[in-house]
Coordinates of all heavy atoms in Angstrom, one line a residue:
P91 N 13.9 -4.1 5.7 CA 14.6 -3.0 6.3 C 13.7 -2.1 7.1 O 12.6 -1.8 6.7 CB 15.2 -2.3 5.1 CG 15.2 -3.3 4.0 CD 14.0 -4.1 4.3
R92 N 14.2 -1.6 8.3 CA 13.4 -0.8 9.1 C 13.1 0.6 8.5 O 14.0 1.2 7.9 CB 14.1 -0.6 10.5 CG 13.4 0.2 11.5 CD 14.2 0.4 12.8 NE 14.4 -0.9 13.4 CZ 13.5 -1.5 14.3 NH1 12.3 -0.8 14.5 NH2 13.7 -2.6 14.8
P93 N 11.9 1.1 8.6 CA 11.6 2.4 8.1 C 12.4 3.5 8.8 O 12.8 3.3 10.0 CB 10.1 2.6 8.3 CG 9.6 1.2 8.5 CD 10.7 0.4 9.1
T94 N 12.8 4.6 8.2 CA 13.7 5.6 8.8 C 13.0 6.9 9.2 O 13.6 7.8 9.7 CB 14.8 5.9 7.8 OG1 14.2 6.6 6.6 CG2 15.5 4.7 7.3
G95 N 11.7 7.0 8.9 CA 11.0 8.3 9.2 C 10.6 8.4 10.7 O 10.7 7.4 11.5
P96 N 10.1 9.5 11.1 CA 9.8 9.8 12.5 C 8.5 9.2 13.0 O 8.2 9.1 14.2 CB 9.6 11.3 12.5 CG 9.2 11.7 11.2 CD 9.9 10.7 10.2
Y97 N 7.6 8.7 12.1 CA 6.3 8.1 12.5 C 6.4 6.6 12.7 O 7.1 5.9 11.9 CB 5.3 8.4 11.5 CG 4.8 9.9 11.4 CD1 5.4 10.7 10.4 CD2 3.9 10.4 12.3 CE1 5.0 12.0 10.3 CE2 3.5 11.7 12.2 CZ 4.0 12.5 11.2 OH 3.6 13.8 11.1
A98 N 5.7 6.1 13.7 CA 5.3 4.7 13.7 C 4.3 4.5 12.5 O 3.8 5.4 12.0 CB 4.7 4.3 15.0
T99 N 4.1 3.2 12.1 CA 3.2 3.0 11.0 C 2.2 1.9 11.3 O 2.5 0.9 12.1 CB 4.0 2.5 9.8 OG1 4.8 1.3 10.0 CG2 5.0 3.6 9.3
G100 N 1.0 2.1 10.8 CA 0.0 1.1 10.9 C -0.4 0.5 9.5 O 0.0 1.1 8.5
R101 N -1.2 -0.6 9.5 CA -1.6 -1.1 8.3 C -3.0 -1.7 8.4 O -3.3 -2.4 9.3 CB -0.7 -2.2 7.7 CG -0.9 -2.4 6.2 CD -0.3 -3.8 5.8 NE -1.2 -4.9 6.1 CZ -0.9 -6.2 5.9 NH1 0.2 -6.5 5.3 NH2 -1.8 -7.1 6.2
D102 N -3.8 -1.3 7.4 CA -5.2 -1.9 7.3 C -5.3 -2.6 5.9 O -4.4 -2.3 5.0 CB -6.3 -0.8 7.3 CG -6.7 -0.5 8.7 OD1 -6.3 -1.3 9.7 OD2 -7.4 0.5 8.9
T103 N -6.3 -3.4 5.7 CA -6.5 -4.0 4.4 C -8.0 -3.8 4.0 O -8.9 -4.0 4.8 CB -6.2 -5.5 4.5 OG1 -4.9 -5.7 4.9 CG2 -6.4 -6.2 3.1
L104 N -8.2 -3.4 2.8 CA -9.5 -3.2 2.2 C -9.8 -4.2 1.1 O -8.9 -4.5 0.3 CB -9.7 -1.8 1.7 CG -9.7 -0.6 2.7 CD1 -9.9 0.7 1.9 CD2 -10.7 -0.8 3.7
F105 N -11.0 -4.7 1.0 CA -11.4 -5.5 -0.1 C -12.6 -4.8 -0.7 O -13.7 -4.6 -0.1 CB -11.8 -6.9 0.4 CG -12.3 -7.8 -0.7 CD1 -11.5 -8.0 -1.9 CD2 -13.4 -8.5 -0.6 CE1 -11.9 -8.9 -2.9 CE2 -13.8 -9.4 -1.6 CZ -13.1 -9.6 -2.7
L106 N -12.4 -4.3 -1.9 CA -13.4 -3.4 -2.6 C -13.9 -4.0 -3.8 O -13.2 -4.7 -4.6 CB -12.7 -2.0 -2.9 CG -12.1 -1.3 -1.7 CD1 -11.3 -0.1 -2.3 CD2 -13.1 -0.9 -0.7
T107 N -15.2 -3.7 -4.1 CA -15.9 -4.2 -5.4 C -16.4 -3.0 -6.1 O -17.1 -2.1 -5.6 CB -17.0 -5.1 -5.0 OG1 -16.5 -6.2 -4.3 CG2 -17.7 -5.6 -6.3
D108 N -16.0 -2.9 -7.4 CA -16.4 -1.8 -8.3 C -17.6 -2.4 -9.1 O -17.4 -3.1 -10.1 CB -15.3 -1.4 -9.2 CG -15.7 -0.2 -10.1 OD1 -16.9 0.1 -10.1 OD2 -14.8 0.3 -10.9
H109 N -18.8 -2.1 -8.7 CA -20.0 -2.7 -9.3 C -20.3 -2.1 -10.7 O -21.2 -2.6 -11.4 CB -21.2 -2.6 -8.4 CG -21.1 -3.3 -7.1 ND1 -21.2 -4.7 -7.0 CD2 -20.8 -2.9 -5.9 CE1 -21.1 -5.1 -5.8 NE2 -20.8 -4.0 -5.0
E110 N -19.6 -1.1 -11.1 CA -19.8 -0.5 -12.4 C -18.9 -1.1 -13.5 O -19.0 -0.7 -14.6 CB -19.6 1.0 -12.3 CG -20.6 1.7 -11.4 CD -20.5 3.2 -11.4 OE1 -19.6 3.7 -12.2 OE2 -21.2 3.9 -10.6
R111 N -18.0 -2.0 -13.1 CA -17.0 -2.6 -14.1 C -17.0 -4.1 -13.9 O -17.0 -4.6 -12.8 CB -15.6 -2.0 -13.9 CG -15.5 -0.6 -14.1 CD -14.1 -0.1 -13.6 NE -13.0 -0.8 -14.2 CZ -11.9 -1.1 -13.6 NH1 -11.7 -0.9 -12.3 NH2 -10.9 -1.7 -14.3
T112 N -17.0 -4.8 -15.1 CA -16.8 -6.2 -15.1 C -15.3 -6.5 -15.1 O -14.5 -5.8 -15.8 CB -17.5 -6.9 -16.3 OG1 -18.9 -6.6 -16.2 CG2 -17.3 -8.4 -16.3
D113 N -14.9 -7.5 -14.4 CA -13.4 -7.9 -14.5 C -13.0 -8.1 -15.9 O -13.6 -8.8 -16.7 CB -13.1 -9.1 -13.7 CG -11.6 -9.3 -13.6 OD1 -11.0 -9.9 -14.5 OD2 -11.1 -8.9 -12.5
P114 N -11.9 -7.4 -16.4 CA -11.6 -7.4 -17.8 C -10.9 -8.8 -18.2 O -10.9 -9.1 -19.4 CB -10.5 -6.3 -17.9 CG -10.0 -6.1 -16.6 CD -11.1 -6.4 -15.6
W115 N -10.4 -9.5 -17.3 CA -9.7 -10.8 -17.6 C -10.6 -12.0 -17.5 O -10.4 -13.0 -18.2 CB -8.4 -10.9 -16.8 CG -7.6 -9.7 -16.8 CD1 -7.3 -8.8 -15.8 CD2 -7.0 -9.1 -18.0 NE1 -6.6 -7.8 -16.3 CE2 -6.3 -7.9 -17.6 CE3 -6.9 -9.5 -19.3 CZ2 -5.6 -7.1 -18.5 CZ3 -6.2 -8.7 -20.2 CH2 -5.6 -7.5 -19.8
V116 N -11.5 -12.0 -16.5 CA -12.4 -13.1 -16.2 C -13.8 -12.5 -16.1 O -14.3 -12.3 -15.0 CB -12.0 -13.9 -15.0 CG1 -12.9 -15.1 -14.8 CG2 -10.5 -14.4 -15.1
P117 N -14.5 -12.2 -17.2 CA -15.8 -11.6 -17.1 C -16.8 -12.4 -16.3 O -17.7 -11.9 -15.6 CB -16.2 -11.5 -18.6 CG -15.0 -11.4 -19.3 CD -14.0 -12.3 -18.6
A118 N -16.6 -13.8 -16.3 CA -17.5 -14.6 -15.5 C -17.4 -14.4 -14.0 O -18.3 -14.8 -13.3 CB -17.3 -16.1 -15.9
A119 N -16.3 -13.8 -13.6 CA -16.1 -13.5 -12.2 C -17.0 -12.4 -11.7 O -17.2 -12.2 -10.5 CB -14.7 -13.2 -11.9
G120 N -17.6 -11.6 -12.6 CA -18.5 -10.5 -12.2 C -17.7 -9.2 -12.1 O -16.8 -8.9 -12.8
A121 N -18.1 -8.4 -11.1 CA -17.6 -7.1 -10.9 C -16.1 -7.1 -10.5 O -15.6 -8.0 -9.9 CB -18.4 -6.4 -9.8
R122 N -15.4 -6.1 -11.0 CA -14.0 -5.9 -10.7 C -13.8 -5.7 -9.2 O -14.5 -4.9 -8.5 CB -13.4 -4.7 -11.4 CG -11.9 -4.4 -11.2 CD -11.1 -5.5 -11.8 NE -9.7 -5.0 -12.0 CZ -8.7 -5.8 -12.4 NH1 -8.9 -7.1 -12.5 NH2 -7.5 -5.4 -12.5
Q123 N -12.8 -6.4 -8.6 CA -12.5 -6.3 -7.2 C -11.1 -5.9 -7.0 O -10.2 -6.2 -7.8 CB -12.8 -7.6 -6.5 CG -14.3 -8.0 -6.5 CD -14.6 -9.3 -5.9 OE1 -13.9 -10.3 -6.1 NE2 -15.7 -9.4 -5.1
L124 N -10.8 -5.3 -5.8 CA -9.4 -4.9 -5.5 C -9.1 -5.3 -4.1 O -10.0 -5.1 -3.2 CB -9.2 -3.4 -5.7 CG -9.3 -2.8 -7.0 CD1 -9.0 -1.3 -6.9 CD2 -8.3 -3.4 -8.0
L125 N -7.9 -5.8 -3.8 CA -7.4 -5.9 -2.5 C -6.3 -4.8 -2.3 O -5.4 -4.6 -3.1 CB -6.7 -7.3 -2.3 CG -7.6 -8.3 -1.6 CD1 -6.9 -9.7 -1.7 CD2 -7.9 -8.0 -0.2
V126 N -6.5 -4.0 -1.2 CA -5.6 -2.9 -1.0 C -5.0 -2.9 0.4 O -5.7 -3.1 1.4 CB -6.5 -1.6 -1.2 CG1 -5.6 -0.3 -1.0 CG2 -7.2 -1.6 -2.5
S127 N -3.7 -2.7 0.5 CA -3.0 -2.5 1.8 C -2.9 -1.0 2.0 O -2.4 -0.3 1.1 CB -1.7 -3.1 1.8 OG -1.8 -4.6 1.7
L128 N -3.3 -0.5 3.2 CA -3.2 0.9 3.5 C -2.2 1.0 4.7 O -2.4 0.5 5.8 CB -4.5 1.4 3.9 CG -5.4 1.8 2.8 CD1 -6.9 1.7 3.2 CD2 -5.1 3.2 2.2
H129 N -1.0 1.6 4.4 CA 0.0 2.0 5.4 C -0.2 3.4 5.7 O -0.4 4.3 4.8 CB 1.4 1.7 4.9 CG 1.7 0.2 4.7 ND1 1.3 -0.5 3.6 CD2 2.3 -0.7 5.5 CE1 1.7 -1.7 3.7 NE2 2.3 -1.9 4.9
Y130 N 0.0 3.8 7.0 CA -0.3 5.1 7.4 C 0.5 5.5 8.7 O 0.9 4.6 9.4 CB -1.8 5.3 7.7 CG -2.4 4.4 8.7 CD1 -2.4 4.7 10.1 CD2 -2.8 3.1 8.3 CE1 -3.0 3.8 11.0 CE2 -3.3 2.2 9.2 CZ -3.4 2.5 10.6 OH -3.9 1.6 11.5
P131 N 0.8 6.8 8.9 CA 1.4 7.2 10.1 C 0.6 6.9 11.3 O -0.6 7.2 11.3 CB 1.6 8.8 9.9 CG 1.4 9.0 8.4 CD 0.5 7.9 8.0
A132 N 1.2 6.4 12.3 CA 0.4 5.9 13.5 C 1.0 6.5 14.8 O 2.1 6.9 14.8 CB 0.4 4.4 13.5
R133 N 0.1 6.4 15.8 CA 0.5 6.9 17.1 C 1.5 5.8 17.7 O 1.2 4.6 17.7 CB -0.7 7.0 18.0 CG -1.6 8.1 17.6 CD -2.8 8.2 18.6 NE -3.7 9.2 18.1 CZ -3.7 10.5 18.6 NH1 -2.8 10.9 19.4 NH2 -4.6 11.4 18.1
P134 N 2.6 6.2 18.3 CA 3.6 5.3 18.8 C 2.9 4.4 19.9 O 2.1 4.9 20.7 CB 4.6 6.2 19.4 CG 4.5 7.5 18.7 CD 3.1 7.6 18.4
G135 N 3.2 3.1 19.9 CA 2.7 2.2 20.9 C 1.3 1.7 20.7 O 0.8 0.9 21.5
S136 N 0.6 2.2 19.7 CA -0.7 1.7 19.5 C -0.7 0.5 18.5 O 0.2 0.3 17.8 CB -1.6 2.8 18.9 OG -1.2 3.2 17.6
G137 N -1.8 -0.2 18.5 CA -2.0 -1.3 17.6 C -1.6 -2.6 18.2 O -1.2 -2.8 19.3
G138 N -1.8 -3.7 17.4 CA -1.6 -5.0 17.8 C -0.3 -5.6 17.3 O 0.8 -4.9 17.4
D139 N -0.3 -6.8 16.7 CA 0.9 -7.4 16.2 C 1.4 -6.8 14.9 O 0.6 -6.1 14.2 CB 0.6 -8.9 15.9 CG 0.3 -9.7 17.2 OD1 0.8 -9.3 18.3 OD2 -0.5 -10.6 17.1
P140 N 2.6 -7.0 14.5 CA 3.1 -6.6 13.2 C 2.2 -7.2 12.1 O 1.8 -8.4 12.2 CB 4.5 -7.1 13.2 CG 5.0 -7.2 14.6 CD 3.7 -7.6 15.3
A141 N 1.9 -6.4 11.1 CA 1.1 -6.9 10.0 C 1.8 -8.0 9.2 O 3.0 -7.9 9.1 CB 0.7 -5.7 9.1
P142 N 1.1 -9.0 8.8 CA 1.7 -10.1 8.0 C 2.2 -9.6 6.7 O 1.6 -8.6 6.1 CB 0.6 -11.1 7.9 CG -0.7 -10.3 8.0 CD -0.4 -9.2 9.0
Y143 N 3.2 -10.2 6.2 CA 3.8 -9.8 4.9 C 2.9 -10.2 3.7 O 2.5 -9.4 2.9 CB 5.2 -10.3 4.7 CG 5.9 -9.9 3.5 CD1 6.2 -8.5 3.3 CD2 6.3 -10.7 2.5 CE1 6.9 -8.1 2.2 CE2 7.0 -10.3 1.3 CZ 7.3 -9.0 1.2 OH 7.9 -8.5 0.1
M144 N 2.7 -11.5 3.6 CA 1.8 -12.0 2.5 C 1.3 -13.4 2.9 O 1.9 -14.0 3.7 CB 2.5 -12.0 1.1 CG 3.5 -13.1 1.0 SD 4.0 -13.4 -0.8 CE 4.7 -11.9 -1.3
P145 N 0.2 -13.8 2.4 CA -0.3 -15.1 2.7 C 0.7 -16.2 2.1 O 1.3 -16.0 1.1 CB -1.7 -15.2 2.0 CG -2.1 -13.8 1.8 CD -0.8 -13.0 1.6
E146 N 0.8 -17.3 2.8 CA 1.7 -18.4 2.4 C 1.3 -18.9 1.0 O 2.2 -19.2 0.2 CB 1.7 -19.5 3.4 CG 2.8 -20.5 3.0 CD 3.1 -21.5 4.2 OE1 2.8 -21.1 5.3 OE2 3.7 -22.5 3.9
A147 N 0.0 -18.9 0.7 CA -0.4 -19.4 -0.6 C 0.1 -18.5 -1.7 O 0.5 -19.0 -2.8 CB -1.9 -19.5 -0.7
E148 N 0.1 -17.2 -1.5 CA 0.7 -16.3 -2.5 C 2.2 -16.4 -2.6 O 2.7 -16.4 -3.8 CB 0.3 -14.8 -2.1 CG -1.1 -14.5 -2.2 CD -1.4 -13.0 -1.9 OE1 -0.4 -12.2 -1.9 OE2 -2.5 -12.6 -1.8
A149 N 2.9 -16.6 -1.5 CA 4.3 -16.8 -1.6 C 4.6 -18.1 -2.3 O 5.6 -18.1 -3.1 CB 4.9 -16.9 -0.1
R150 N 3.9 -19.2 -2.1 CA 4.2 -20.4 -2.7 C 4.0 -20.3 -4.3 O 4.8 -20.8 -5.0 CB 3.2 -21.5 -2.2 CG 3.5 -22.9 -2.8 CD 2.6 -24.0 -2.2 NE 2.9 -24.1 -0.8 CZ 2.2 -23.7 0.3 NH1 1.0 -23.1 0.0 NH2 2.5 -23.9 1.5
L151 N 2.9 -19.7 -4.7 CA 2.7 -19.5 -6.1 C 3.8 -18.6 -6.8 O 4.3 -18.9 -7.9 CB 1.3 -18.9 -6.4 CG 0.2 -19.9 -6.2 CD1 -1.2 -19.2 -6.1 CD2 0.1 -21.0 -7.3
M152 N 4.1 -17.5 -6.1 CA 5.2 -16.6 -6.6 C 6.5 -17.4 -6.8 O 7.2 -17.3 -7.8 CB 5.3 -15.4 -5.7 CG 6.4 -14.4 -6.2 SD 6.5 -13.0 -5.0 CE 7.4 -13.8 -3.6
L153 N 6.9 -18.1 -5.8 CA 8.2 -18.9 -5.8 C 8.1 -20.0 -6.8 O 9.1 -20.2 -7.5 CB 8.5 -19.4 -4.4 CG 8.8 -18.3 -3.4 CD1 8.9 -18.9 -2.0 CD2 10.1 -17.6 -3.7
A154 N 7.0 -20.7 -6.9 CA 6.9 -21.8 -7.8 C 7.0 -21.4 -9.2 O 7.6 -22.0 -10.1 CB 5.5 -22.5 -7.6
Q155 N 6.4 -20.2 -9.6 CA 6.5 -19.7 -10.9 C 8.0 -19.5 -11.3 O 8.4 -19.6 -12.5 CB 5.7 -18.4 -11.1 CG 5.5 -18.0 -12.6 CD 6.8 -17.3 -13.1 OE1 7.5 -16.6 -12.3 NE2 7.0 -17.4 -14.4
R156 N 8.8 -19.1 -10.3 CA 10.2 -18.9 -10.6 C 11.1 -20.1 -10.4 O 12.3 -20.1 -10.4 CB 10.7 -17.8 -9.6 CG 10.1 -16.4 -9.9 CD 9.5 -15.7 -8.7 NE 9.2 -14.4 -9.0 CZ 7.9 -14.0 -9.2 NH1 6.9 -14.8 -9.2 NH2 7.7 -12.7 -9.4

Side-chain angles (χ1 to χ4, degrees):
R92 182 180 294 274
T94 64
Y97 289 98
T99 60
R101 199 197 78 184
D102 274 348
T103 303
L104 294 180
F105 182 49
L106 304 174
T107 301
D108 184 354
H109 294 286
E110 297 185 3
R111 298 167 58 218
T112 299
D113 190 275
W115 309 114
V116 183
R122 181 66 161 170
Q123 297 177 315
L124 294 179
L125 263 171
V126 181
S127 294
L128 281 152
H129 291 84
Y130 55 93
R133 294 179 184 268
S136 67
D139 295 331
Y143 184 63
M144 71 164 65
E146 188 167 342
E148 291 186 10
R150 182 176 295 107
L151 287 166
M152 181 180 71
L153 293 169
Q155 191 281 330
R156 288 130 172 102

